[in-house]
Amino acid sequence: MNLPIHATDPTTALLTLVLAGGRLAPRRQLLLQSGSAQAALIAGPAQWRAAGLDRRQCQQLLNPDPAALARAQSWLAGSGNHHLLGLDDPAYPALLAHAPEPPLALFIDGDPALLWQPMVAVVGSRNASPSGQALAGRLAGELAACQLCVASGLAAGIDAAAHRASLLAGSPGVAVIGTGPDQSYPAGHVGLQAELAQSGAVVSEYPPGTPPRAGHFPARNRILAGLSLAVVVVEAALRSGAMITARLGAEAGREVFAVPGSPLNPLSRGCNRLLRDGAGLLESIDDLLPALPALARLLAESRPRQLPGTAQPPPFPLAGHAPQVQDQRRLWQALDDIAVDLDELAQRTGLTVARLSAILLDLELAGWALQTHGRWQRSPKPPSTTASFDAG
């Protein structure tokens, strides 16, 4: 058999691997073993079969669906805001790459660099109560105020409430969807999806033109969990997508939190089950923030020196508003080479534990602070601008 002509262009080669469909694990193995999508296609049918691809997948690599390929290429070319990231790309988000069953590639409508920001998934029932939606909105607003990105699944109910509150707070959010990036589900969320794409990112593993399918939504939950430092469940029935996200988050080593509720409320039974099984009890954002730094360190250590198409952020200060900079300076001056706990830092600075946790997360991501067993100190190797910051 002749080798596929689609190996001549890296983007087309990656699309060809994606569009081959079928079992994901063999295609992922082929890509990572080969080092690139082009090399994977050039490897030829013998190597494809050795990686575990079946006959139909091999045929698809040789002769991809021309209409599907053209549709995906057209979507990518249609806007400077449309991107495709393969698992072999240095810009592919590290937390997701290290999670179970990472997607072969991500279609992104929005800013790919946002997937490297520390984020928290806020999920729950599609038929959420008014109080549940209000609580999801409040939590999302508090996360945004702490410079944490809010992620959810763009579903009705809790998801939509979290997304809208994040946008209202002026914070970019991340939506992980179960359709192609050019589709909206539910249909009434077209506008919300467009807002998230403009200021944040809408992410899918499914190529353009993929309609809503029942099996895609549980599968997309692993991406949502894998991208996040923690999963917060606000309301959930015992059998629900939010419970799937929580389980997948736990399997990926993420922190899982749940909001408690009345045992008489069917929408509280899932949360109460999670709490019984060991999830963290969430009554306020103060319960969440101290649990995030360990994974945030992995995110910081894995981040490329500069993500493609982005400007490298300044090392410090991380925030642009005067009160935030003042709080950062106050905390930096309170830190020294001897590690101390949050209570001691609260006494030294007068800042709340929630505010301290948010700033320390920023400092750790930027390389200024180091956390060990819940105690904090100045990094032994801070950025070279330390002197100018001290003088600030």
Side-chain angles (χ1 to χ4, degrees):
M1 291 185 290
N2 295 324
L3 294 179
I5 62 171
H6 311 290
T8 57
D9 171 71
T11 299
T12 304
L14 182 56
L15 287 172
T16 300
L17 275 177
V18 171
L19 293 172
R23 292 172 56 222
L24 177 61
R27 288 180 290 147
R28 186 169 54 230
Q29 179 179 334
L30 177 64
L31 175 64
L32 295 180
Q33 285 182 344
S34 303
S36 73
Q38 287 177 288
L41 294 191
I42 292 171
Q47 289 299 317
W48 303 344
R49 290 191 293 269
L53 274 70
D54 60 31
R55 183 180 181 84
R56 192 202 63 81
Q57 288 176 310
C58 292
Q59 289 296 331
Q60 288 295 313
L61 291 187
L62 287 169
N63 298 293
D65 181 343
L69 188 59
R71 186 185 302 116
Q73 291 171 325
S74 176
W75 182 83
L76 287 170
S79 169
N81 219 31
H82 294 172
H83 308 272
L84 177 66
L85 280 183
L87 184 55
D88 61 321
D89 193 315
Y92 191 97
L95 287 184
L96 182 58
H98 288 88
E101 297 296 316
L104 187 68
L106 298 173
F107 293 89
I108 302 165
D109 188 357
D111 182 6
L114 192 61
L115 304 187
W116 284 83
Q117 299 303 308
M119 69 181 75
V120 173
V122 180
V123 298
S125 174
R126 287 178 169 83
N127 301 308
S129 68
S131 60
Q133 293 183 60
L135 177 57
R138 191 193 81 191
L139 287 171
E142 292 175 347
L143 289 168
C146 292
Q147 300 180 358
L148 286 164
C149 180
V150 175
S152 200
L154 203 64
I158 296 298
D159 292 24
H163 284 311
R164 291 190 175 105
S166 174
L167 289 169
L168 188 63
S171 175
V174 170
V176 183
I177 61 176
T179 66
D182 58 339
Q183 309 286 308
S184 293
Y185 184 84
H189 284 177
V190 172
L192 179 57
Q193 182 169 328
E195 286 187 70
L196 287 164
Q198 182 176 7
S199 65
V202 176
V203 181
S204 176
E205 68 177 316
Y206 303 110
T210 305
R213 292 173 183 150
H216 287 180
F217 294 94
R220 68 93 192 270
N221 291 340
R222 82 188 193 286
I223 304 176
L224 179 59
L227 285 169
S228 304
L229 301 177
V231 175
V232 173
V233 183
V234 178
E235 285 184 338
L238 283 173
R239 295 175 63 86
S240 63
M243 292 292 284
I244 294 174
T245 306
R247 175 178 59 80
L248 293 170
E251 290 174 358
R254 307 302 187 251
E255 300 290 341
V256 177
F257 288 84
V259 176
S262 167
L264 301 178
N265 180 0
L267 294 181
S268 295
R269 290 175 184 165
C271 291
N272 292 343
R273 172 69 62 83
L274 290 172
L275 292 169
R276 189 188 73 183
D277 293 343
L281 187 148
L282 185 71
E283 294 181 315
S284 76
I285 198 168
D286 291 351
D287 299 320
L288 170 69
L289 294 175
L292 302 184
L295 274 174
R297 185 183 302 115
L298 171 63
L299 196 64
E301 291 172 350
S302 304
R303 183 184 176 99
R305 293 187 61 84
Q306 182 161 343
L307 293 172
T310 66
Q312 189 72 358
F316 210 82
L318 297 173
H321 301 292
Q324 292 171 330
V325 175
Q326 292 170 3
D327 286 351
Q328 290 169 344
R329 181 173 292 115
R330 187 188 313 173
L331 176 54
W332 173 252
Q333 292 169 347
L335 288 169
D336 54 34
D337 296 333
I338 300 175
V340 296
D341 59 24
L342 284 173
D343 289 339
E344 175 63 24
L345 289 175
Q347 291 181 7
R348 293 182 185 181
T349 63
L351 299 173
T352 66
V353 170
R355 183 69 183 131
L356 284 171
S357 297
I359 300 173
L360 286 166
L361 182 62
D362 283 341
L363 293 177
E364 185 175 35
L365 286 170
W368 289 77
L370 177 66
Q371 184 262 147
T372 307
H373 304 302
R375 299 171 69 85
W376 291 89
Q377 66 184 81
R378 292 189 178 188
S379 173
K381 296 180 180 180
S384 59
T385 51
T386 303
S388 62
F389 179 72
D390 279 328

